[in-house]
Every structure is written in C-alpha cells, then in structure tokens.
Amino acid sequence: MKLAQLSTSDITDLDKANAVVVQPIGAIEQHGPHLPVMTDAFVGEQIATLAADQTDTEVWVLPTLHYGKSTEHLGWAGTMSLSSETLLAVLKDVGRSVAASGFTRLAFVNGHGGNPASLDVAARDIRTETGLLVFPVTTGRLGVPQGLDLPDAEFSIHGGHVESSVMLHLAPETVHTDRFALGGDHLPELFPGELTLEGALPTAWISDDLTTNGVIGDPRAATAEIGKEIVTHWTGRLASAYARMSAFDFRTAR
C-alpha cells in the first residue's frame, strides 16, 4: 500500500497504532558493465513492496529514496552520491515527518551495501528524538535460500552472482548478459590473514582499490531462476518481519 497515493484526510483517519511505514532506499551507482546504475534503489523498492503485498500487516510504503551514500564508487560514470552528512539529515527528516504524521513504526528497507552504517546511526537518533520504533533492514543481509550454490561467495559484494540473478528476475530488460565479467576474484589472496574486506576486522575501501571493471563478484552463472529463488526468500523473510515489527513493543519485555 503506497502512502503517497492517499490524501491527508485518508492518512489522518488511519489506525496507526501498529502500522509500519516503510522507506525503501538504495543508490544510483555503477554496477559494472552489465547492470543498470539504478540496481540498488530498484531492488530495495521491489523487495519492500513485494513483501508488503504478502502480509496482512498494515504496511505503508513511501516513495523510494533513490540516492544513498555511494562515495566508494565516485568517479565511475553514472554514480550519484550523497555525503554522509546529507544522507543522515535526510533520513532523520523522514523519521521526524513519519512521527509528526502520527505513526509509531518506521522500517528502512535498503538495497545498497554502503548505506547500513548511516542507517544504524539515523535509526538510533530517530528513536531517541521522536520515540518511533525504527528497523533498518538491508536486503543482502536477509541471506539466500539454503543450499544455493554461490560461485563467488568468497569475494562477491557488488554486481556478482546474487545481484545479477535478482535483476535478471526483476528487470531482465536492463541486464546486459553479453557483458558479464568476473571482477575482484583476487580478494581472498589480498586478505589472507586477520584483516578482512568486511566483517570483524574490516578495511575501508573504494571500488578502485578492488576492481578494474566495477564488478566485485562473478555474474557469469547468474540466471533469472536463481534470482526468483532469492527474491522469494527475501520477500518471505521481510513479510514475516513486517508482522513482527507491527507487534513489537519494548515495554512488553520490561
């Protein structure tokens, strides 16, 4: 259900006690030679909306925030990035507006791996300032179906097997399969010890450090069928999460 299609009178009359307002967010940034720069924004929007359609929970989806923090990809054609300061300000303004409209729950559904740190900070600030219950969710952290073979599991974070398969399922007309190319497969050798690209001992990086073609992963075995499995998994988990968000209340555990 799209909140922006309602009138202010409609929104005033909603039962907001347990409704979840969802703000999809992603990025406009390079995704190698084969995927559109809209990939992260499109995936965040699609997963947020498809999950809302699968639940009986009252979920209201806001218009997508297409820009995110993509400074790691600046210099690659098509990348449009907000600064950390701008993104935090926008996220907190959204939170204030949701609270001012009388809602009690806000979920950010994010499709871009560069946004979670900002979302975590904004969510805590929104919580302390407005009292909203805030849930920052990133699609890539919802996992993949059990038993799914990922040929690039050790080094894939951008434009690889998962993202390419998901886009082949959701928007195949935007994917250039003839341009599939391997990128970043040297990373396991670059991080053989305690330091890691991401995780427990992460290293600050930009895409120029890791790839010459914009890809950090291996899309060459991607298929729409695999993408459908992943999308079904993500939307199912998120639909269940919406229900838990609606019922959640810190006071019940005190």
Side-chain angles (χ1 to χ4, degrees):
M1 297 181 284
K2 296 183 178 180
L3 192 69
Q5 294 180 353
L6 302 182
S7 72
T8 187
S9 297
D10 295 332
I11 296 170
T12 299
D13 293 340
L14 291 176
D15 181 358
K16 306 182 186 72
N18 295 97
V20 180
V21 175
V22 176
Q23 176 61 76
I25 180 172
I28 302 297
E29 63 181 29
Q30 76 84 17
H31 266 74
H34 62 291
L35 291 179
V37 296
M38 71 169 187
T39 293
D40 289 345
F42 181 75
V43 169
E45 178 179 86
Q46 290 293 303
I47 300 304
T49 304
L50 289 169
D53 291 340
Q54 292 179 27
T55 180
D56 293 331
T57 303
E58 189 168 0
V59 176
W60 295 100
V61 181
L62 292 169
T64 301
L65 286 173
H66 286 80
Y67 296 137
K69 182 186 177 297
S70 299
T71 49
E72 67 272 28
H73 298 292
L74 283 175
W76 294 76
T79 297
M80 307 292 166
S81 179
L82 301 180
S83 67
S84 299
E85 297 81 3
T86 299
L87 179 58
L88 283 172
V90 169
L91 295 173
K92 288 193 281 187
D93 280 347
V94 169
R96 294 182 186 110
S97 299
V98 169
S101 291
F103 293 97
T104 62
R105 289 160 171 78
L106 170 63
F108 292 106
V109 177
N110 166 51
H112 169 45
N115 285 336
S118 298
L119 288 168
D120 288 344
V121 171
R124 186 67 53 79
D125 286 350
I126 293 167
R127 171 67 183 151
T128 56
E129 180 180 335
T130 70
L132 280 176
L133 296 172
V134 189
F135 308 90
V137 179
T138 294
T139 57
R141 295 181 175 181
L142 295 173
V144 296
Q146 188 173 5
L148 184 65
D149 182 31
L150 302 179
D152 53 0
E154 292 186 351
F155 62 94
S156 180
I157 59 171
H158 192 71
H161 186 71
V162 169
E163 276 193 311
S164 299
S165 294
V166 166
M167 288 300 287
L168 279 171
H169 170 60
L170 292 175
E173 71 281 0
T174 69
V175 182
H176 300 277
T177 56
D178 59 319
R179 302 178 194 167
F180 279 172
L182 175 68
D185 55 319
H186 64 291
L187 295 183
E189 298 175 8
L190 182 62
F191 297 97
E194 292 184 348
L195 290 181
T196 56
L197 183 64
E198 296 181 334
L201 293 169
T203 307
W205 56 269
I206 61 175
S207 57
D208 285 341
D209 294 329
L210 309 179
T211 178
T212 58
N213 63 4
V215 179
I216 309 169
D218 188 357
R220 293 176 297 178
T223 68
E225 291 72 25
I226 293 170
K228 183 177 181 180
E229 288 185 55
I230 296 168
V231 167
T232 298
H233 178 77
W234 286 354
T235 55
R237 288 202 65 190
L238 184 56
S240 296
Y242 284 156
R244 291 193 293 273
M245 292 172 192
S246 176
F248 183 80
D249 189 333
F250 281 113
R251 292 171 297 182
T252 61
R254 292 208 302 261

Coordinates of all heavy atoms in Angstrom, one line a residue, residues 53-145:
D53 N 3.0 -6.7 0.0 CA 1.9 -7.4 -0.7 C 1.6 -8.8 -0.1 O 0.5 -9.3 -0.4 CB 2.1 -7.5 -2.2 CG 2.1 -6.1 -2.9 OD1 1.5 -5.1 -2.3 OD2 2.6 -6.0 -4.0
Q54 N 2.6 -9.3 0.6 CA 2.5 -10.7 1.1 C 2.0 -10.8 2.5 O 1.9 -11.9 3.0 CB 3.8 -11.4 0.9 CG 4.3 -11.7 -0.5 CD 5.6 -12.3 -0.6 OE1 6.0 -13.1 0.3 NE2 6.3 -12.1 -1.7
T55 N 1.8 -9.7 3.2 CA 1.4 -9.8 4.6 C 0.1 -9.1 4.8 O -0.3 -8.2 4.1 CB 2.5 -9.1 5.4 OG1 2.1 -9.1 6.8 CG2 2.7 -7.6 5.0
D56 N -0.6 -9.6 5.9 CA -1.9 -8.9 6.3 C -1.6 -7.8 7.2 O -2.5 -7.0 7.6 CB -2.7 -10.0 7.0 CG -3.2 -11.1 6.1 OD1 -3.4 -10.8 4.9 OD2 -3.4 -12.2 6.6
T57 N -0.3 -7.6 7.6 CA 0.0 -6.4 8.5 C -0.2 -5.1 7.7 O 0.0 -5.1 6.5 CB 1.5 -6.6 8.8 OG1 1.7 -7.8 9.5 CG2 1.9 -5.4 9.7
E58 N -0.6 -4.1 8.4 CA -0.8 -2.8 7.8 C 0.5 -2.2 7.5 O 1.2 -1.7 8.4 CB -1.7 -1.9 8.6 CG -2.1 -0.6 7.9 CD -3.2 0.1 8.6 OE1 -3.6 -0.3 9.7 OE2 -3.6 1.2 8.1
V59 N 0.9 -2.2 6.3 CA 2.2 -1.6 5.9 C 2.0 -0.5 4.8 O 1.3 -0.8 3.8 CB 3.1 -2.8 5.3 CG1 4.4 -2.2 4.7 CG2 3.4 -3.8 6.3
W60 N 2.6 0.6 5.1 CA 2.5 1.7 4.1 C 3.9 2.1 3.6 O 4.8 2.4 4.3 CB 1.9 2.9 4.8 CG 0.5 2.7 5.3 CD1 0.0 2.3 6.5 CD2 -0.7 2.7 4.4 NE1 -1.3 2.1 6.5 CE2 -1.8 2.3 5.2 CE3 -0.9 3.0 3.1 CZ2 -3.1 2.2 4.7 CZ3 -2.2 2.9 2.6 CH2 -3.3 2.5 3.4
V61 N 4.0 2.0 2.3 CA 5.3 2.2 1.6 C 5.4 3.6 1.1 O 4.6 4.0 0.4 CB 5.5 1.1 0.5 CG1 6.9 1.3 -0.2 CG2 5.4 -0.3 1.0
L62 N 6.5 4.3 1.5 CA 6.8 5.6 1.0 C 7.5 5.6 -0.4 O 8.1 4.5 -0.7 CB 7.7 6.3 2.0 CG 7.0 6.7 3.4 CD1 8.1 7.1 4.3 CD2 6.0 7.7 3.2
P63 N 7.5 6.7 -1.1 CA 8.3 6.8 -2.3 C 9.8 6.5 -2.0 O 10.3 6.9 -1.0 CB 8.1 8.2 -2.8 CG 6.8 8.6 -2.2 CD 6.8 7.9 -0.9
T64 N 10.5 5.8 -2.9 CA 11.8 5.4 -2.7 C 12.8 6.5 -2.7 O 12.7 7.5 -3.5 CB 12.3 4.4 -3.8 OG1 11.3 3.3 -3.8 CG2 13.7 3.9 -3.7
L65 N 13.8 6.4 -1.7 CA 14.9 7.3 -1.7 C 16.0 6.7 -2.7 O 16.6 5.7 -2.3 CB 15.5 7.5 -0.3 CG 14.7 8.4 0.6 CD1 15.3 8.3 2.0 CD2 14.7 9.8 0.2
H66 N 16.1 7.2 -3.8 CA 17.0 6.6 -4.8 C 18.5 6.9 -4.6 O 19.3 6.0 -4.9 CB 16.6 7.1 -6.2 CG 15.3 6.5 -6.8 ND1 14.1 7.0 -6.4 CD2 15.1 5.4 -7.6 CE1 13.2 6.3 -7.0 NE2 13.7 5.3 -7.7
Y67 N 18.8 8.0 -4.0 CA 20.2 8.3 -3.7 C 20.6 7.8 -2.4 O 19.9 7.9 -1.4 CB 20.5 9.8 -3.8 CG 20.2 10.4 -5.2 CD1 19.6 11.6 -5.3 CD2 20.7 9.8 -6.3 CE1 19.4 12.2 -6.5 CE2 20.4 10.3 -7.6 CZ 19.8 11.5 -7.7 OH 19.6 12.1 -8.9
G68 N 21.8 7.3 -2.3 CA 22.4 6.8 -1.0 C 23.8 7.3 -0.9 O 24.3 8.2 -1.6
K69 N 24.6 6.8 0.1 CA 26.0 7.1 0.2 C 26.8 6.1 -0.6 O 27.0 5.0 -0.3 CB 26.4 7.0 1.7 CG 27.9 7.3 1.9 CD 28.3 7.1 3.3 CE 29.8 7.4 3.5 NZ 30.7 6.5 2.6
S70 N 27.2 6.6 -1.8 CA 28.0 5.8 -2.7 C 29.3 6.4 -3.0 O 29.9 6.3 -4.1 CB 27.2 5.7 -4.1 OG 25.9 5.1 -3.8
T71 N 29.9 7.0 -2.0 CA 31.2 7.7 -2.2 C 32.3 6.7 -2.7 O 33.3 7.1 -3.3 CB 31.7 8.4 -1.0 OG1 31.5 7.5 0.2 CG2 30.8 9.6 -0.7
E72 N 32.2 5.4 -2.3 CA 33.2 4.4 -2.7 C 33.2 4.2 -4.2 O 34.1 3.7 -4.8 CB 32.9 3.1 -2.0 CG 31.6 2.4 -2.4 CD 30.4 2.8 -1.6 OE1 30.4 3.9 -1.1 OE2 29.5 1.9 -1.5
H73 N 32.1 4.7 -4.9 CA 32.0 4.5 -6.4 C 32.2 5.8 -7.2 O 32.0 5.8 -8.4 CB 30.7 3.8 -6.8 CG 30.6 2.4 -6.2 ND1 31.3 1.4 -6.6 CD2 29.7 2.0 -5.2 CE1 31.0 0.3 -5.9 NE2 30.0 0.6 -5.0
L74 N 32.4 6.9 -6.5 CA 32.6 8.2 -7.2 C 33.7 8.1 -8.2 O 34.8 7.5 -7.9 CB 32.8 9.3 -6.2 CG 31.6 9.8 -5.4 CD1 32.0 10.8 -4.4 CD2 30.6 10.4 -6.4
G75 N 33.5 8.7 -9.3 CA 34.5 8.7 -10.4 C 34.1 7.7 -11.5 O 34.6 7.8 -12.6
W76 N 33.2 6.8 -11.2 CA 32.6 5.9 -12.2 C 31.4 6.5 -12.8 O 30.5 7.0 -12.0 CB 32.3 4.5 -11.6 CG 33.5 3.8 -11.0 CD1 34.2 4.0 -9.9 CD2 34.1 2.6 -11.7 NE1 35.2 3.1 -9.8 CE2 35.2 2.2 -10.8 CE3 33.8 1.9 -12.8 CZ2 36.0 1.2 -11.1 CZ3 34.7 0.8 -13.1 CH2 35.7 0.5 -12.3
A77 N 31.3 6.5 -14.1 CA 30.2 7.2 -14.8 C 28.8 6.7 -14.3 O 28.6 5.5 -14.2 CB 30.3 7.0 -16.3
G78 N 27.9 7.6 -13.9 CA 26.6 7.3 -13.5 C 26.4 7.3 -12.0 O 25.3 7.2 -11.5
T79 N 27.5 7.3 -11.2 CA 27.4 7.3 -9.8 C 26.9 8.6 -9.3 O 27.6 9.6 -9.6 CB 28.7 6.9 -9.1 OG1 29.0 5.5 -9.5 CG2 28.6 6.9 -7.6
M80 N 25.9 8.7 -8.5 CA 25.3 9.9 -7.9 C 25.3 9.6 -6.4 O 24.5 8.8 -5.9 CB 23.9 10.2 -8.4 CG 23.9 10.3 -10.0 SD 24.8 11.7 -10.6 CE 24.9 11.2 -12.4
S81 N 26.1 10.3 -5.6 CA 26.2 10.0 -4.2 C 25.8 11.2 -3.3 O 26.2 12.4 -3.7 CB 27.6 9.6 -3.9 OG 27.7 9.3 -2.5
L82 N 25.2 10.9 -2.2 CA 25.0 11.9 -1.2 C 26.2 11.7 -0.2 O 26.8 10.6 -0.1 CB 23.7 11.6 -0.4 CG 22.4 11.7 -1.2 CD1 21.2 11.4 -0.2 CD2 22.2 13.0 -1.9
S83 N 26.6 12.8 0.5 CA 27.6 12.7 1.5 C 26.9 12.1 2.7 O 25.7 12.0 2.9 CB 28.1 14.1 1.9 OG 27.0 14.8 2.5
S84 N 27.8 11.6 3.7 CA 27.3 11.0 4.9 C 26.4 12.0 5.6 O 25.3 11.7 6.1 CB 28.4 10.6 5.8 OG 29.2 9.6 5.2
E85 N 26.8 13.3 5.7 CA 26.1 14.3 6.4 C 24.7 14.5 5.8 O 23.7 14.6 6.5 CB 26.9 15.6 6.4 CG 28.2 15.5 7.2 CD 29.3 14.9 6.4 OE1 29.1 14.6 5.2 OE2 30.4 14.8 6.9
T86 N 24.7 14.6 4.5 CA 23.4 14.8 3.8 C 22.4 13.6 4.0 O 21.3 13.8 4.2 CB 23.6 15.1 2.3 OG1 24.4 16.2 2.1 CG2 22.3 15.3 1.5
L87 N 23.0 12.4 3.8 CA 22.1 11.2 3.9 C 21.5 11.1 5.4 O 20.3 10.9 5.5 CB 22.9 10.0 3.6 CG 22.1 8.7 3.8 CD1 20.9 8.7 2.9 CD2 23.0 7.5 3.4
L88 N 22.4 11.4 6.4 CA 21.9 11.3 7.7 C 20.8 12.4 8.0 O 19.8 12.1 8.6 CB 23.0 11.6 8.7 CG 23.9 10.4 9.0 CD1 25.1 10.8 9.8 CD2 23.2 9.2 9.7
A89 N 21.0 13.6 7.4 CA 20.0 14.6 7.6 C 18.7 14.2 6.9 O 17.6 14.4 7.5 CB 20.5 15.9 7.0
V90 N 18.7 13.7 5.7 CA 17.5 13.3 5.0 C 16.8 12.1 5.8 O 15.6 12.2 6.0 CB 17.9 12.8 3.6 CG1 16.7 12.1 2.9 CG2 18.3 14.0 2.7
L91 N 17.5 11.1 6.2 CA 16.9 10.0 6.9 C 16.2 10.5 8.2 O 15.1 10.1 8.5 CB 18.0 9.0 7.3 CG 18.6 8.2 6.1 CD1 19.8 7.4 6.6 CD2 17.6 7.4 5.3
K92 N 16.9 11.4 8.9 CA 16.3 11.9 10.2 C 15.1 12.8 9.9 O 14.1 12.8 10.7 CB 17.4 12.6 11.0 CG 18.4 11.6 11.6 CD 19.2 12.3 12.7 CE 20.4 13.1 12.1 NZ 21.3 13.5 13.2
D93 N 15.1 13.5 8.8 CA 14.0 14.3 8.4 C 12.8 13.4 8.1 O 11.6 13.8 8.4 CB 14.3 15.3 7.3 CG 15.0 16.5 7.7 OD1 15.1 16.8 8.9 OD2 15.6 17.2 6.8
V94 N 13.0 12.3 7.4 CA 12.0 11.4 7.1 C 11.4 10.9 8.4 O 10.1 10.8 8.6 CB 12.5 10.2 6.2 CG1 11.4 9.1 6.2 CG2 12.8 10.7 4.8
G95 N 12.2 10.5 9.3 CA 11.8 10.0 10.6 C 10.9 11.0 11.4 O 9.8 10.6 11.9
R96 N 11.4 12.2 11.4 CA 10.6 13.3 12.1 C 9.2 13.4 11.4 O 8.2 13.6 12.1 CB 11.3 14.6 12.0 CG 12.6 14.6 12.8 CD 13.3 16.0 12.8 NE 14.6 15.9 13.4 CZ 15.8 16.0 12.7 NH1 15.8 16.2 11.4 NH2 16.9 16.0 13.4
S97 N 9.2 13.3 10.1 CA 7.9 13.5 9.4 C 7.0 12.4 9.6 O 5.8 12.6 9.8 CB 8.2 13.7 7.9 OG 9.0 14.8 7.6
V98 N 7.5 11.2 9.6 CA 6.7 10.0 9.9 C 6.1 10.1 11.3 O 4.9 9.8 11.5 CB 7.5 8.7 9.8 CG1 6.7 7.5 10.3 CG2 7.9 8.5 8.3
A99 N 6.9 10.5 12.3 CA 6.4 10.7 13.7 C 5.3 11.8 13.7 O 4.3 11.6 14.4 CB 7.5 11.0 14.6
A100 N 5.6 12.9 13.0 CA 4.7 14.0 13.1 C 3.3 13.6 12.4 O 2.3 14.3 12.7 CB 5.3 15.2 12.3
S101 N 3.3 12.6 11.6 CA 2.0 12.2 11.0 C 1.3 11.2 11.9 O 0.2 10.7 11.5 CB 2.3 11.5 9.6 OG 2.8 12.5 8.7
G102 N 1.9 10.9 13.0 CA 1.2 10.1 14.0 C 1.5 8.6 14.0 O 0.9 7.8 14.7
F103 N 2.5 8.2 13.2 CA 2.8 6.7 13.1 C 3.8 6.4 14.2 O 4.4 7.3 14.8 CB 3.5 6.4 11.8 CG 2.5 6.5 10.6 CD1 2.5 7.6 9.8 CD2 1.7 5.4 10.3 CE1 1.6 7.7 8.7 CE2 0.8 5.5 9.3 CZ 0.7 6.6 8.5
T104 N 3.9 5.1 14.5 CA 4.8 4.7 15.6 C 5.9 3.8 15.2 O 6.8 3.5 16.0 CB 4.0 3.9 16.7 OG1 3.4 2.8 16.1 CG2 2.9 4.8 17.2
R105 N 5.9 3.3 13.9 CA 6.9 2.4 13.5 C 7.4 2.7 12.1 O 6.6 3.0 11.2 CB 6.3 1.0 13.5 CG 6.1 0.4 14.8 CD 5.1 -0.8 14.8 NE 5.0 -1.5 16.1 CZ 4.4 -1.0 17.2 NH1 3.7 0.2 17.1 NH2 4.4 -1.7 18.3
L106 N 8.7 2.7 11.9 CA 9.4 3.0 10.7 C 10.4 2.0 10.3 O 11.3 1.7 11.2 CB 10.0 4.4 10.7 CG 10.9 4.8 9.6 CD1 10.1 4.9 8.3 CD2 11.6 6.1 9.9
A107 N 10.3 1.4 9.1 CA 11.3 0.5 8.6 C 12.0 1.1 7.4 O 11.4 1.5 6.5 CB 10.7 -0.9 8.3
F108 N 13.3 1.1 7.4 CA 14.1 1.4 6.3 C 14.4 0.0 5.6 O 15.0 -0.8 6.2 CB 15.4 2.1 6.6 CG 15.2 3.5 7.1 CD1 15.4 3.8 8.5 CD2 14.9 4.5 6.3 CE1 15.2 5.0 9.0 CE2 14.7 5.8 6.8 CZ 14.9 6.1 8.1
V109 N 14.1 -0.1 4.3 CA 14.4 -1.3 3.6 C 15.4 -0.9 2.5 O 15.1 -0.2 1.5 CB 13.2 -2.0 2.9 CG1 13.6 -3.2 2.1 CG2 12.2 -2.4 4.0
N110 N 16.6 -1.3 2.7 CA 17.8 -0.8 2.0 C 18.4 -1.9 1.0 O 18.6 -3.0 1.4 CB 18.8 -0.4 3.0 CG 20.2 -0.2 2.3 OD1 20.3 0.6 1.4 ND2 21.2 -0.8 2.9
G111 N 18.7 -1.4 -0.2 CA 19.2 -2.3 -1.2 C 20.7 -2.1 -1.5 O 21.3 -2.7 -2.4
H112 N 21.4 -1.2 -0.7 CA 22.7 -0.8 -1.0 C 23.7 -1.1 0.1 O 23.4 -0.7 1.3 CB 22.8 0.7 -1.4 CG 24.2 1.3 -1.5 ND1 25.2 0.6 -2.1 CD2 24.7 2.4 -1.0 CE1 26.3 1.4 -2.0 NE2 26.0 2.5 -1.3
G113 N 24.8 -1.8 -0.1 CA 25.7 -2.2 0.9 C 26.4 -1.1 1.5 O 27.0 -1.3 2.6
G114 N 26.4 0.1 0.9 CA 27.1 1.3 1.5 C 26.3 2.1 2.5 O 26.8 3.0 3.1
N115 N 25.0 1.7 2.7 CA 24.1 2.5 3.5 C 24.0 2.1 4.9 O 23.5 2.9 5.8 CB 22.7 2.6 2.9 CG 22.6 3.5 1.7 OD1 23.4 4.4 1.5 ND2 21.7 3.2 0.8
P116 N 24.2 0.8 5.3 CA 23.8 0.3 6.6 C 24.4 1.1 7.8 O 23.7 1.4 8.8 CB 24.3 -1.1 6.7 CG 24.2 -1.6 5.3 CD 24.6 -0.4 4.5
A117 N 25.7 1.6 7.7 CA 26.2 2.3 8.8 C 25.5 3.6 9.1 O 25.2 4.0 10.2 CB 27.7 2.6 8.5
S118 N 25.1 4.3 8.0 CA 24.3 5.5 8.1 C 22.9 5.2 8.6 O 22.4 6.0 9.5 CB 24.3 6.2 6.8 OG 25.5 6.6 6.3
L119 N 22.3 4.2 8.2 CA 21.0 3.8 8.6 C 21.0 3.5 10.1 O 20.0 3.8 10.8 CB 20.5 2.6 7.8 CG 20.1 2.9 6.4 CD1 19.9 1.6 5.6 CD2 18.9 3.8 6.3
D120 N 22.0 2.8 10.6 CA 22.1 2.5 12.0 C 22.2 3.7 12.9 O 21.5 3.8 13.9 CB 23.3 1.5 12.3 CG 23.1 0.1 11.8 OD1 22.0 -0.2 11.4 OD2 24.1 -0.6 11.7
V121 N 23.0 4.7 12.4 CA 23.1 5.9 13.2 C 21.8 6.7 13.2 O 21.3 7.2 14.2 CB 24.3 6.8 12.6 CG1 24.3 8.2 13.2 CG2 25.6 6.1 12.8
A122 N 21.2 6.8 12.0 CA 20.0 7.6 11.8 C 18.9 6.9 12.6 O 18.1 7.6 13.3 CB 19.6 7.7 10.4
A123 N 18.8 5.6 12.6 CA 17.7 4.9 13.3 C 17.8 5.2 14.8 O 16.7 5.4 15.5 CB 17.8 3.4 13.1
R124 N 19.0 5.1 15.4 CA 19.1 5.4 16.8 C 18.7 6.9 17.1 O 18.1 7.1 18.1 CB 20.5 5.1 17.3 CG 20.8 5.2 18.8 CD 20.1 4.1 19.6 NE 20.3 2.8 19.1 CZ 21.4 2.1 19.4 NH1 22.4 2.6 20.1 NH2 21.6 0.8 18.9
D125 N 19.2 7.8 16.3 CA 18.8 9.2 16.5 C 17.3 9.4 16.4 O 16.8 10.2 17.2 CB 19.6 10.1 15.5 CG 21.1 10.2 15.8 OD1 21.5 9.8 16.9 OD2 21.8 10.8 15.0
I126 N 16.7 8.8 15.4 CA 15.2 9.0 15.2 C 14.5 8.4 16.5 O 13.6 9.0 17.0 CB 14.8 8.3 14.0 CG1 15.3 9.0 12.7 CG2 13.2 8.2 13.9 CD1 15.2 8.2 11.4
R127 N 15.0 7.3 16.9 CA 14.4 6.6 18.1 C 14.4 7.6 19.3 O 13.4 7.7 20.0 CB 15.1 5.3 18.4 CG 14.7 4.6 19.7 CD 13.3 4.2 19.7 NE 12.9 3.6 21.0 CZ 11.7 3.6 21.5 NH1 10.7 4.1 20.8 NH2 11.4 3.0 22.6
T128 N 15.6 8.1 19.6 CA 15.8 8.9 20.8 C 15.0 10.3 20.7 O 14.5 10.8 21.7 CB 17.3 9.2 21.1 OG1 17.9 9.8 19.9 CG2 18.0 7.9 21.4
E129 N 15.0 10.8 19.4 CA 14.3 12.1 19.3 C 12.8 12.0 19.2 O 12.1 12.9 19.7 CB 14.9 12.8 18.0 CG 14.3 14.2 17.8 CD 14.8 14.8 16.5 OE1 15.9 14.5 16.1 OE2 14.1 15.7 15.9
T130 N 12.3 11.0 18.5 CA 10.9 11.0 18.2 C 10.1 9.9 18.9 O 8.9 10.0 19.0 CB 10.6 10.8 16.7 OG1 11.0 9.4 16.4 CG2 11.4 11.8 15.9
G131 N 10.8 8.9 19.5 CA 10.1 7.8 20.1 C 9.7 6.7 19.1 O 9.1 5.7 19.5
L132 N 9.8 6.9 17.8 CA 9.5 5.9 16.8 C 10.3 4.6 17.1 O 11.5 4.7 17.5 CB 9.8 6.4 15.4 CG 8.9 7.3 14.7 CD1 9.5 7.7 13.4 CD2 7.5 6.7 14.5
L133 N 9.7 3.5 16.8 CA 10.4 2.2 16.7 C 10.9 2.2 15.3 O 10.2 2.3 14.4 CB 9.5 1.1 17.0 CG 8.9 1.0 18.4 CD1 7.8 -0.1 18.5 CD2 10.0 0.8 19.5
V134 N 12.2 2.0 15.2 CA 12.9 2.1 13.9 C 13.6 0.8 13.6 O 14.4 0.3 14.4 CB 13.8 3.3 13.8 CG1 14.3 3.5 12.3 CG2 13.2 4.5 14.3
F135 N 13.4 0.3 12.4 CA 14.0 -1.0 12.0 C 14.8 -0.9 10.7 O 14.2 -0.8 9.6 CB 12.9 -2.1 11.8 CG 12.0 -2.2 13.0 CD1 10.8 -1.4 13.0 CD2 12.2 -3.0 14.0 CE1 10.0 -1.5 14.1 CE2 11.4 -3.2 15.1 CZ 10.2 -2.4 15.1
P136 N 16.1 -0.8 10.7 CA 16.9 -0.7 9.5 C 17.2 -2.1 8.9 O 17.9 -2.9 9.6 CB 18.2 0.0 9.9 CG 18.3 -0.3 11.4 CD 17.0 -0.6 11.9
V137 N 16.7 -2.4 7.8 CA 16.8 -3.7 7.1 C 17.6 -3.6 5.8 O 17.3 -2.7 5.0 CB 15.4 -4.3 6.9 CG1 15.6 -5.7 6.2 CG2 14.6 -4.4 8.1
T138 N 18.5 -4.4 5.5 CA 19.2 -4.4 4.3 C 19.0 -5.8 3.6 O 19.1 -6.8 4.2 CB 20.7 -4.2 4.5 OG1 21.0 -2.9 5.0 CG2 21.5 -4.4 3.2
T139 N 18.5 -5.7 2.3 CA 18.1 -6.9 1.6 C 19.2 -8.0 1.6 O 19.0 -9.2 1.8 CB 17.7 -6.6 0.2 OG1 18.7 -5.9 -0.5 CG2 16.4 -5.7 0.2
G140 N 20.5 -7.6 1.3 CA 21.6 -8.5 1.2 C 21.8 -9.3 2.5 O 22.5 -10.3 2.5
R141 N 21.4 -8.7 3.7 CA 21.6 -9.4 4.9 C 20.5 -10.4 5.3 O 20.5 -11.0 6.3 CB 21.7 -8.4 6.0 CG 23.0 -7.5 5.9 CD 23.1 -6.5 7.0 NE 24.3 -5.7 6.9 CZ 24.7 -4.8 7.7 NH1 23.9 -4.5 8.8 NH2 25.8 -4.1 7.6
L142 N 19.5 -10.5 4.4 CA 18.4 -11.5 4.6 C 18.8 -12.9 4.2 O 18.1 -13.8 4.3 CB 17.2 -11.1 3.8 CG 16.6 -9.8 4.3 CD1 15.4 -9.3 3.4 CD2 16.0 -9.9 5.7
G143 N 20.1 -13.1 3.7 CA 20.6 -14.4 3.3 C 20.1 -14.9 2.0 O 19.4 -14.2 1.3
V144 N 20.4 -16.1 1.7 CA 20.0 -16.7 0.4 C 19.3 -18.1 0.8 O 19.6 -18.6 1.9 CB 21.1 -16.9 -0.5 CG1 21.7 -15.6 -1.0 CG2 22.2 -17.8 0.1
P145 N 18.6 -18.7 -0.1 CA 17.9 -20.0 0.2 C 19.0 -21.0 0.6 O 20.1 -21.0 0.0 CB 17.2 -20.3 -1.1 CG 17.0 -19.0 -1.8 CD 18.2 -18.1 -1.4

